[in-house]
Amino acid sequence: MEHKVRVRFAPSPTGPLHIGGVRTALYNYLFAKQNGGDFILRIEDTDQTRFVEGAEQYIIESFQWLGLKFDEGVTMGGPYGPYRQSERKHLYKDYALELVNRGKAYYAFDTPEELNAKRQEAEAQKQTFQYDCNTRNTLKNSLSLPADEVQRRLEQGEAYVIRFKFEKGEKIEFDDLIRGHISVDSSLLDDKVLYKSDGMPTYHLANIVDDRLMHITHVIRGEEWLPSCPLHVSLYRAFGWEDTMPEFAHLPLLLKPDGKGKLSKRDGDRLGFPVFPLQWHDNKSGEISSGYRESGYLPQAVVNMLALLGWNDGTEQEIFSLDELVNKFSIDRISKHGAKFDLDKAKWFNHQYLQQVSDDELAEVYQKQLQQKGINTEYQTVKQVVGLVKERCSFANELWLNSDYFFVRPEQYAEKALKKRWKEGTGAIMQTISQHLHDIEDNDWAEKAEDFLMDYIPKNELNMGQIMNCLRLSVVGDTKGPNMLDIMKVLGKQEILFRLDTAIAKINL
Ligand code: GLU
């Protein structure tokens, strides 16, 4: 029987969620939805020393913003809850003990100080200490100590951890959906701690037990977990669970823009782009890290951009709606190589999605921005302006930069343009033109004014480019903006002529 696809995103609440993590979640989501499966949010909070207040809420809010909905998880519950590992704490010890009973794990009594001393000893000889099949016999554990001593230590309540026992000289083999066949020599592996002296499982044990209990079919996660995978596979085998072992897919890293190393929080600060979906306020350091949401990115643009950092559908297509991604996504087409983060591309995606936002929606946003500046312009005008300048903007907060002159009169005129266009005698010509424009009736003034200019300028052997630019300079203060007819329509006869006459008086050449 084919099992229903069930995948999980399993972040640890240790701080804000990196966009690499968001991409991992997105690929899980796409895979689940494509296969009619479930997408689960599990919070892996067994490492209490790294727990950060507010991080879980941040993760939940990030996915709400991005529009990626979980089917089960910490917020909505589900048949295999609870979904927060700290609330499942009681479950794990029995599993660890089961492995001890099966001879696949053992008690270790070494104190942190003793282990530290071993580490330093090894370092002094330029070696690294590892708790493994070669060293464990020299250490204090239930494999090296006599059985009655182990018994005594346990009865006396001595602190212990439970470690996985890697056999010597075995080949651990498995297949990864992205990386292919993997084979590792068990002698090289660390006997990782599964269960800690504080009564908490480690990530490795809790992760495997929960994936099993939650019927996870595919584990899609970042490449940084690949080195742990031989342990995970060995755990499934040690428990006798190989028949339900999920398939593994380890995603390539997200790289710095120059391709040199993993994209880090610091790169974002240094190069001026967010590496987190939402702004994060670190309570300890007081530091604020920027977020895509607060930087004006649209969630659909972020989703689309992340989908393409490490995957493509084999064509040149770059714009995909979430539904399209669900249809077209395939693990086969995930790259093995790291994907470089590209800020220009991120902006490009936002530009594309901003163009799809209706003028009405943007006008509402813009009207609020204007009100904050103390500008109260009627909605219809704001909407008209938005329609005219939207294509010049990649972010809603670039609207002002591209349309301020609709709301405030120019105080200065771009010097370079002025020098080039406003020659001696231009003032007089503009004066005459202004008079003619005054004489045009108010009804459909802008259209009539344009017809007049198109006729008048060549007829009087004037330079079209120069005159129109001088008019633009007078009205806008610069040579930027959409076409003059549109500007004249929005601003109207009175305002245009006021600005033109002011310019003529001020420039005075
Ligand atoms: N808790 C791990 C993390 O923070 C989960 C890794 C996994 O998906 O197995 O990334």
Side-chain angles (χ1 to χ4, degrees), residues 8-14 24 28 42-45 50 85 203 207-208 211 219-222 224-225 232 248 250:
R8 83 303 192 271
F9 180 57
S12 300
T14 55
T24 298
N28 273 283
R42 183 172 75 219
I43 296 292
E44 301 207 325
D45 57 350
R50 297 183 61 215
Q85 286 183 331
Y203 151 71
N207 186 269
I208 267 51
D211 281 353
V219 168
I220 305 170
R221 62 184 172 192
E224 64 273 29
W225 300 105
H232 297 174
F248 292 98
H250 288 91

PDB file of all heavy atoms in Angstrom, residues 8-14 24 28 42-45 50 85 203 207-208 211 219-222 224-225 232 248 250, ligand 1:
ATOM      1  N   ARG A   8       7.445  17.055   7.241  1.00  0.00           N
ATOM      2  CA  ARG A   8       7.406  17.992   8.369  1.00  0.00           C
ATOM      3  C   ARG A   8       8.486  19.037   8.204  1.00  0.00           C
ATOM      4  O   ARG A   8       9.535  18.811   7.615  1.00  0.00           O
ATOM      5  CB  ARG A   8       7.550  17.236   9.692  1.00  0.00           C
ATOM      6  CG  ARG A   8       8.956  16.873  10.148  1.00  0.00           C
ATOM      7  CD  ARG A   8       9.742  16.052   9.174  1.00  0.00           C
ATOM      8  NE  ARG A   8      10.956  15.480   9.677  1.00  0.00           N
ATOM      9  CZ  ARG A   8      12.165  16.050   9.660  1.00  0.00           C
ATOM     10  NH1 ARG A   8      12.349  17.232   9.159  1.00  0.00           N
ATOM     11  NH2 ARG A   8      13.209  15.416  10.138  1.00  0.00           N
ATOM     12  N   PHE A   9       8.182  20.216   8.724  1.00  0.00           N
ATOM     13  CA  PHE A   9       9.209  21.234   8.892  1.00  0.00           C
ATOM     14  C   PHE A   9       9.421  21.257  10.395  1.00  0.00           C
ATOM     15  O   PHE A   9       8.465  21.349  11.158  1.00  0.00           O
ATOM     16  CB  PHE A   9       8.728  22.576   8.353  1.00  0.00           C
ATOM     17  CG  PHE A   9       9.756  23.660   8.509  1.00  0.00           C
ATOM     18  CD1 PHE A   9      11.027  23.509   7.960  1.00  0.00           C
ATOM     19  CD2 PHE A   9       9.476  24.827   9.208  1.00  0.00           C
ATOM     20  CE1 PHE A   9      11.990  24.491   8.122  1.00  0.00           C
ATOM     21  CE2 PHE A   9      10.435  25.811   9.364  1.00  0.00           C
ATOM     22  CZ  PHE A   9      11.693  25.637   8.815  1.00  0.00           C
ATOM     23  N   ALA A  10      10.699  21.125  10.806  1.00  0.00           N
ATOM     24  CA  ALA A  10      10.954  20.881  12.227  1.00  0.00           C
ATOM     25  C   ALA A  10      11.984  21.848  12.802  1.00  0.00           C
ATOM     26  O   ALA A  10      13.060  21.442  13.213  1.00  0.00           O
ATOM     27  CB  ALA A  10      11.417  19.440  12.400  1.00  0.00           C
ATOM     28  N   PRO A  11      11.663  23.125  12.820  1.00  0.00           N
ATOM     29  CA  PRO A  11      12.664  24.087  13.296  1.00  0.00           C
ATOM     30  C   PRO A  11      12.868  24.020  14.805  1.00  0.00           C
ATOM     31  O   PRO A  11      11.986  23.597  15.545  1.00  0.00           O
ATOM     32  CB  PRO A  11      12.048  25.431  12.917  1.00  0.00           C
ATOM     33  CG  PRO A  11      10.587  25.196  12.945  1.00  0.00           C
ATOM     34  CD  PRO A  11      10.392  23.775  12.483  1.00  0.00           C
ATOM     35  N   SER A  12      14.048  24.442  15.224  1.00  0.00           N
ATOM     36  CA  SER A  12      14.318  24.621  16.644  1.00  0.00           C
ATOM     37  C   SER A  12      14.130  26.109  16.938  1.00  0.00           C
ATOM     38  O   SER A  12      14.631  26.940  16.188  1.00  0.00           O
ATOM     39  CB  SER A  12      15.746  24.207  16.958  1.00  0.00           C
ATOM     40  OG  SER A  12      15.912  22.853  16.608  1.00  0.00           O
ATOM     41  N   PRO A  13      13.415  26.430  18.002  1.00  0.00           N
ATOM     42  CA  PRO A  13      13.135  27.853  18.267  1.00  0.00           C
ATOM     43  C   PRO A  13      14.327  28.546  18.922  1.00  0.00           C
ATOM     44  O   PRO A  13      14.290  28.912  20.079  1.00  0.00           O
ATOM     45  CB  PRO A  13      11.923  27.790  19.194  1.00  0.00           C
ATOM     46  CG  PRO A  13      12.061  26.477  19.891  1.00  0.00           C
ATOM     47  CD  PRO A  13      12.785  25.535  18.971  1.00  0.00           C
ATOM     48  N   THR A  14      15.374  28.719  18.132  1.00  0.00           N
ATOM     49  CA  THR A  14      16.609  29.280  18.690  1.00  0.00           C
ATOM     50  C   THR A  14      16.845  30.709  18.230  1.00  0.00           C
ATOM     51  O   THR A  14      17.907  31.264  18.469  1.00  0.00           O
ATOM     52  CB  THR A  14      17.817  28.424  18.258  1.00  0.00           C
ATOM     53  OG1 THR A  14      17.789  28.341  16.824  1.00  0.00           O
ATOM     54  CG2 THR A  14      17.749  27.032  18.839  1.00  0.00           C
ATOM     55  N   THR A  24      13.505  25.575   2.868  1.00  0.00           N
ATOM     56  CA  THR A  24      13.311  24.165   3.223  1.00  0.00           C
ATOM     57  C   THR A  24      11.829  23.882   3.447  1.00  0.00           C
ATOM     58  O   THR A  24      11.275  22.904   2.935  1.00  0.00           O
ATOM     59  CB  THR A  24      14.094  23.835   4.518  1.00  0.00           C
ATOM     60  OG1 THR A  24      15.476  24.047   4.267  1.00  0.00           O
ATOM     61  CG2 THR A  24      13.873  22.409   4.961  1.00  0.00           C
ATOM     62  N   ASN A  28       9.206  21.471   1.235  1.00  0.00           N
ATOM     63  CA  ASN A  28       8.373  20.464   1.897  1.00  0.00           C
ATOM     64  C   ASN A  28       6.903  20.668   1.548  1.00  0.00           C
ATOM     65  O   ASN A  28       6.182  19.724   1.226  1.00  0.00           O
ATOM     66  CB  ASN A  28       8.545  20.539   3.423  1.00  0.00           C
ATOM     67  CG  ASN A  28       9.710  19.702   3.918  1.00  0.00           C
ATOM     68  OD1 ASN A  28       9.622  18.483   4.007  1.00  0.00           O
ATOM     69  ND2 ASN A  28      10.820  20.340   4.229  1.00  0.00           N
ATOM     70  N   ARG A  42       6.511  20.903  13.344  1.00  0.00           N
ATOM     71  CA  ARG A  42       6.920  20.350  14.635  1.00  0.00           C
ATOM     72  C   ARG A  42       8.015  21.236  15.212  1.00  0.00           C
ATOM     73  O   ARG A  42       8.962  21.598  14.517  1.00  0.00           O
ATOM     74  CB  ARG A  42       7.465  18.932  14.433  1.00  0.00           C
ATOM     75  CG  ARG A  42       7.853  18.273  15.748  1.00  0.00           C
ATOM     76  CD  ARG A  42       8.206  16.813  15.551  1.00  0.00           C
ATOM     77  NE  ARG A  42       9.500  16.622  14.938  1.00  0.00           N
ATOM     78  CZ  ARG A  42       9.777  15.689  14.028  1.00  0.00           C
ATOM     79  NH1 ARG A  42       8.831  14.880  13.585  1.00  0.00           N
ATOM     80  NH2 ARG A  42      10.988  15.557  13.529  1.00  0.00           N
ATOM     81  N   ILE A  43       7.877  21.584  16.451  1.00  0.00           N
ATOM     82  CA  ILE A  43       8.876  22.449  17.084  1.00  0.00           C
ATOM     83  C   ILE A  43       9.848  21.580  17.875  1.00  0.00           C
ATOM     84  O   ILE A  43       9.446  20.846  18.781  1.00  0.00           O
ATOM     85  CB  ILE A  43       8.188  23.489  17.994  1.00  0.00           C
ATOM     86  CG1 ILE A  43       7.310  24.441  17.163  1.00  0.00           C
ATOM     87  CG2 ILE A  43       9.203  24.269  18.816  1.00  0.00           C
ATOM     88  CD1 ILE A  43       8.053  25.383  16.230  1.00  0.00           C
ATOM     89  N   GLU A  44      11.115  21.666  17.504  1.00  0.00           N
ATOM     90  CA  GLU A  44      12.135  20.822  18.142  1.00  0.00           C
ATOM     91  C   GLU A  44      12.879  21.644  19.200  1.00  0.00           C
ATOM     92  O   GLU A  44      13.893  22.279  18.934  1.00  0.00           O
ATOM     93  CB  GLU A  44      13.078  20.264  17.078  1.00  0.00           C
ATOM     94  CG  GLU A  44      12.296  19.442  16.045  1.00  0.00           C
ATOM     95  CD  GLU A  44      13.098  18.348  15.369  1.00  0.00           C
ATOM     96  OE1 GLU A  44      14.293  18.538  15.124  1.00  0.00           O
ATOM     97  OE2 GLU A  44      12.506  17.285  15.092  1.00  0.00           O
ATOM     98  N   ASP A  45      12.310  21.630  20.387  1.00  0.00           N
ATOM     99  CA  ASP A  45      12.829  22.486  21.456  1.00  0.00           C
ATOM    100  C   ASP A  45      13.428  21.679  22.607  1.00  0.00           C
ATOM    101  O   ASP A  45      13.243  22.019  23.771  1.00  0.00           O
ATOM    102  CB  ASP A  45      11.718  23.416  21.969  1.00  0.00           C
ATOM    103  CG  ASP A  45      10.502  22.625  22.457  1.00  0.00           C
ATOM    104  OD1 ASP A  45      10.452  21.409  22.216  1.00  0.00           O
ATOM    105  OD2 ASP A  45       9.610  23.225  23.083  1.00  0.00           O
ATOM    106  N   ARG A  50      19.408  26.508  24.226  1.00  0.00           N
ATOM    107  CA  ARG A  50      19.366  27.376  23.035  1.00  0.00           C
ATOM    108  C   ARG A  50      17.976  27.962  22.779  1.00  0.00           C
ATOM    109  O   ARG A  50      17.747  28.647  21.793  1.00  0.00           O
ATOM    110  CB  ARG A  50      19.851  26.595  21.818  1.00  0.00           C
ATOM    111  CG  ARG A  50      21.304  26.168  21.960  1.00  0.00           C
ATOM    112  CD  ARG A  50      21.789  25.463  20.720  1.00  0.00           C
ATOM    113  NE  ARG A  50      21.722  26.333  19.557  1.00  0.00           N
ATOM    114  CZ  ARG A  50      21.421  25.913  18.337  1.00  0.00           C
ATOM    115  NH1 ARG A  50      21.155  24.657  18.123  1.00  0.00           N
ATOM    116  NH2 ARG A  50      21.382  26.757  17.326  1.00  0.00           N
ATOM    117  N   GLN A  85       8.246  19.297  20.980  1.00  0.00           N
ATOM    118  CA  GLN A  85       8.949  18.160  21.595  1.00  0.00           C
ATOM    119  C   GLN A  85       9.045  18.259  23.112  1.00  0.00           C
ATOM    120  O   GLN A  85       9.030  17.242  23.792  1.00  0.00           O
ATOM    121  CB  GLN A  85      10.335  18.000  20.964  1.00  0.00           C
ATOM    122  CG  GLN A  85      10.221  17.405  19.566  1.00  0.00           C
ATOM    123  CD  GLN A  85      11.551  17.148  18.901  1.00  0.00           C
ATOM    124  OE1 GLN A  85      12.527  17.843  19.169  1.00  0.00           O
ATOM    125  NE2 GLN A  85      11.599  16.164  18.016  1.00  0.00           N
ATOM    126  N   TYR A 203      18.454  16.022  19.843  1.00  0.00           N
ATOM    127  CA  TYR A 203      17.783  16.201  18.552  1.00  0.00           C
ATOM    128  C   TYR A 203      17.655  14.866  17.814  1.00  0.00           C
ATOM    129  O   TYR A 203      16.588  14.520  17.313  1.00  0.00           O
ATOM    130  CB  TYR A 203      18.566  17.227  17.724  1.00  0.00           C
ATOM    131  CG  TYR A 203      18.460  17.028  16.243  1.00  0.00           C
ATOM    132  CD1 TYR A 203      17.267  17.302  15.569  1.00  0.00           C
ATOM    133  CD2 TYR A 203      19.529  16.526  15.505  1.00  0.00           C
ATOM    134  CE1 TYR A 203      17.152  17.094  14.206  1.00  0.00           C
ATOM    135  CE2 TYR A 203      19.422  16.312  14.145  1.00  0.00           C
ATOM    136  CZ  TYR A 203      18.238  16.584  13.498  1.00  0.00           C
ATOM    137  OH  TYR A 203      18.123  16.369  12.156  1.00  0.00           O
ATOM    138  N   ASN A 207      14.053  13.427  17.019  1.00  0.00           N
ATOM    139  CA  ASN A 207      13.720  13.611  15.616  1.00  0.00           C
ATOM    140  C   ASN A 207      13.282  12.278  14.977  1.00  0.00           C
ATOM    141  O   ASN A 207      12.263  12.215  14.280  1.00  0.00           O
ATOM    142  CB  ASN A 207      14.979  14.169  14.936  1.00  0.00           C
ATOM    143  CG  ASN A 207      14.779  14.548  13.488  1.00  0.00           C
ATOM    144  OD1 ASN A 207      14.994  13.726  12.614  1.00  0.00           O
ATOM    145  ND2 ASN A 207      14.372  15.791  13.240  1.00  0.00           N
ATOM    146  N   ILE A 208      14.034  11.234  15.256  1.00  0.00           N
ATOM    147  CA  ILE A 208      13.718   9.927  14.647  1.00  0.00           C
ATOM    148  C   ILE A 208      12.447   9.346  15.262  1.00  0.00           C
ATOM    149  O   ILE A 208      11.565   8.857  14.544  1.00  0.00           O
ATOM    150  CB  ILE A 208      14.928   8.961  14.783  1.00  0.00           C
ATOM    151  CG1 ILE A 208      15.814   9.025  13.564  1.00  0.00           C
ATOM    152  CG2 ILE A 208      14.495   7.512  14.916  1.00  0.00           C
ATOM    153  CD1 ILE A 208      16.254  10.344  13.122  1.00  0.00           C
ATOM    154  N   ASP A 211       9.514  11.364  13.907  1.00  0.00           N
ATOM    155  CA  ASP A 211       9.236  11.089  12.494  1.00  0.00           C
ATOM    156  C   ASP A 211       8.512   9.745  12.362  1.00  0.00           C
ATOM    157  O   ASP A 211       7.588   9.594  11.568  1.00  0.00           O
ATOM    158  CB  ASP A 211      10.538  11.071  11.674  1.00  0.00           C
ATOM    159  CG  ASP A 211      11.031  12.485  11.348  1.00  0.00           C
ATOM    160  OD1 ASP A 211      10.294  13.451  11.635  1.00  0.00           O
ATOM    161  OD2 ASP A 211      12.144  12.621  10.820  1.00  0.00           O
ATOM    162  N   VAL A 219      11.877  13.086   4.463  1.00  0.00           N
ATOM    163  CA  VAL A 219      12.577  14.108   5.240  1.00  0.00           C
ATOM    164  C   VAL A 219      13.325  14.989   4.248  1.00  0.00           C
ATOM    165  O   VAL A 219      14.266  14.547   3.595  1.00  0.00           O
ATOM    166  CB  VAL A 219      13.553  13.443   6.237  1.00  0.00           C
ATOM    167  CG1 VAL A 219      14.499  14.481   6.829  1.00  0.00           C
ATOM    168  CG2 VAL A 219      12.773  12.739   7.346  1.00  0.00           C
ATOM    169  N   ILE A 220      12.831  16.214   4.103  1.00  0.00           N
ATOM    170  CA  ILE A 220      13.469  17.166   3.184  1.00  0.00           C
ATOM    171  C   ILE A 220      14.047  18.271   4.053  1.00  0.00           C
ATOM    172  O   ILE A 220      13.303  18.964   4.749  1.00  0.00           O
ATOM    173  CB  ILE A 220      12.426  17.731   2.186  1.00  0.00           C
ATOM    174  CG1 ILE A 220      11.722  16.583   1.455  1.00  0.00           C
ATOM    175  CG2 ILE A 220      13.085  18.699   1.212  1.00  0.00           C
ATOM    176  CD1 ILE A 220      10.511  17.004   0.633  1.00  0.00           C
ATOM    177  N   ARG A 221      15.352  18.393   4.070  1.00  0.00           N
ATOM    178  CA  ARG A 221      15.960  19.357   4.989  1.00  0.00           C
ATOM    179  C   ARG A 221      17.298  19.822   4.448  1.00  0.00           C
ATOM    180  O   ARG A 221      17.783  19.327   3.430  1.00  0.00           O
ATOM    181  CB  ARG A 221      16.139  18.708   6.370  1.00  0.00           C
ATOM    182  CG  ARG A 221      17.065  17.524   6.331  1.00  0.00           C
ATOM    183  CD  ARG A 221      17.167  16.827   7.681  1.00  0.00           C
ATOM    184  NE  ARG A 221      17.904  15.589   7.563  1.00  0.00           N
ATOM    185  CZ  ARG A 221      17.964  14.655   8.514  1.00  0.00           C
ATOM    186  NH1 ARG A 221      17.331  14.832   9.661  1.00  0.00           N
ATOM    187  NH2 ARG A 221      18.664  13.566   8.318  1.00  0.00           N
ATOM    188  N   GLY A 222      17.894  20.761   5.157  1.00  0.00           N
ATOM    189  CA  GLY A 222      19.137  21.380   4.688  1.00  0.00           C
ATOM    190  C   GLY A 222      20.320  20.419   4.706  1.00  0.00           C
ATOM    191  O   GLY A 222      20.356  19.449   5.475  1.00  0.00           O
ATOM    192  N   GLU A 224      23.094  20.761   5.903  1.00  0.00           N
ATOM    193  CA  GLU A 224      23.868  20.680   7.151  1.00  0.00           C
ATOM    194  C   GLU A 224      23.511  19.438   7.977  1.00  0.00           C
ATOM    195  O   GLU A 224      24.240  19.069   8.888  1.00  0.00           O
ATOM    196  CB  GLU A 224      23.721  21.966   7.978  1.00  0.00           C
ATOM    197  CG  GLU A 224      22.335  22.291   8.488  1.00  0.00           C
ATOM    198  CD  GLU A 224      21.486  23.087   7.497  1.00  0.00           C
ATOM    199  OE1 GLU A 224      21.694  22.953   6.275  1.00  0.00           O
ATOM    200  OE2 GLU A 224      20.599  23.829   7.946  1.00  0.00           O
ATOM    201  N   TRP A 225      22.391  18.797   7.630  1.00  0.00           N
ATOM    202  CA  TRP A 225      22.005  17.595   8.375  1.00  0.00           C
ATOM    203  C   TRP A 225      22.482  16.311   7.732  1.00  0.00           C
ATOM    204  O   TRP A 225      22.300  15.228   8.287  1.00  0.00           O
ATOM    205  CB  TRP A 225      20.472  17.557   8.573  1.00  0.00           C
ATOM    206  CG  TRP A 225      20.021  18.746   9.343  1.00  0.00           C
ATOM    207  CD1 TRP A 225      19.377  19.842   8.848  1.00  0.00           C
ATOM    208  CD2 TRP A 225      20.252  19.015  10.730  1.00  0.00           C
ATOM    209  NE1 TRP A 225      19.189  20.769   9.840  1.00  0.00           N
ATOM    210  CE2 TRP A 225      19.713  20.283  11.007  1.00  0.00           C
ATOM    211  CE3 TRP A 225      20.861  18.295  11.756  1.00  0.00           C
ATOM    212  CZ2 TRP A 225      19.758  20.863  12.265  1.00  0.00           C
ATOM    213  CZ3 TRP A 225      20.913  18.871  13.024  1.00  0.00           C
ATOM    214  CH2 TRP A 225      20.367  20.137  13.263  1.00  0.00           C
ATOM    215  N   HIS A 232      21.007   8.686  11.753  1.00  0.00           N
ATOM    216  CA  HIS A 232      19.551   8.554  11.701  1.00  0.00           C
ATOM    217  C   HIS A 232      19.141   7.231  11.053  1.00  0.00           C
ATOM    218  O   HIS A 232      18.278   6.512  11.544  1.00  0.00           O
ATOM    219  CB  HIS A 232      18.940   9.748  10.971  1.00  0.00           C
ATOM    220  CG  HIS A 232      19.197  11.047  11.682  1.00  0.00           C
ATOM    221  ND1 HIS A 232      18.864  12.269  11.177  1.00  0.00           N
ATOM    222  CD2 HIS A 232      19.791  11.299  12.878  1.00  0.00           C
ATOM    223  CE1 HIS A 232      19.218  13.227  12.033  1.00  0.00           C
ATOM    224  NE2 HIS A 232      19.787  12.646  13.062  1.00  0.00           N
ATOM    225  N   PHE A 248      15.105  10.338   2.275  1.00  0.00           N
ATOM    226  CA  PHE A 248      15.812  11.566   2.637  1.00  0.00           C
ATOM    227  C   PHE A 248      16.147  12.400   1.407  1.00  0.00           C
ATOM    228  O   PHE A 248      16.510  11.852   0.363  1.00  0.00           O
ATOM    229  CB  PHE A 248      17.113  11.225   3.366  1.00  0.00           C
ATOM    230  CG  PHE A 248      16.879  10.609   4.711  1.00  0.00           C
ATOM    231  CD1 PHE A 248      16.917   9.230   4.896  1.00  0.00           C
ATOM    232  CD2 PHE A 248      16.581  11.423   5.808  1.00  0.00           C
ATOM    233  CE1 PHE A 248      16.684   8.657   6.145  1.00  0.00           C
ATOM    234  CE2 PHE A 248      16.344  10.857   7.059  1.00  0.00           C
ATOM    235  CZ  PHE A 248      16.396   9.474   7.225  1.00  0.00           C
ATOM    236  N   HIS A 250      18.443  15.940   0.975  1.00  0.00           N
ATOM    237  CA  HIS A 250      19.196  17.038   1.608  1.00  0.00           C
ATOM    238  C   HIS A 250      19.434  18.157   0.605  1.00  0.00           C
ATOM    239  O   HIS A 250      20.069  17.958  -0.428  1.00  0.00           O
ATOM    240  CB  HIS A 250      20.501  16.500   2.201  1.00  0.00           C
ATOM    241  CG  HIS A 250      20.257  15.679   3.429  1.00  0.00           C
ATOM    242  ND1 HIS A 250      20.058  14.322   3.390  1.00  0.00           N
ATOM    243  CD2 HIS A 250      20.116  16.046   4.734  1.00  0.00           C
ATOM    244  CE1 HIS A 250      19.831  13.875   4.627  1.00  0.00           C
ATOM    245  NE2 HIS A 250      19.851  14.905   5.463  1.00  0.00           N
TER     246      HIS A 250
HETATM  247  N1  GLU B   1      15.464  20.787  14.369  1.00  0.00           N
HETATM  248  C1  GLU B   1      16.246  20.641  13.182  1.00  0.00           C
HETATM  249  C2  GLU B   1      16.517  22.036  12.640  1.00  0.00           C
HETATM  250  O1  GLU B   1      16.458  22.938  13.394  1.00  0.00           O
HETATM  251  C3  GLU B   1      15.509  19.790  12.192  1.00  0.00           C
HETATM  252  C4  GLU B   1      16.346  19.142  11.163  1.00  0.00           C
HETATM  253  C5  GLU B   1      15.538  18.118  10.430  1.00  0.00           C
HETATM  254  O2  GLU B   1      14.684  18.522   9.641  1.00  0.00           O
HETATM  255  O3  GLU B   1      15.725  16.930  10.680  1.00  0.00           O
HETATM  256  O4  GLU B   1      16.808  22.288  11.507  1.00  0.00           O
END
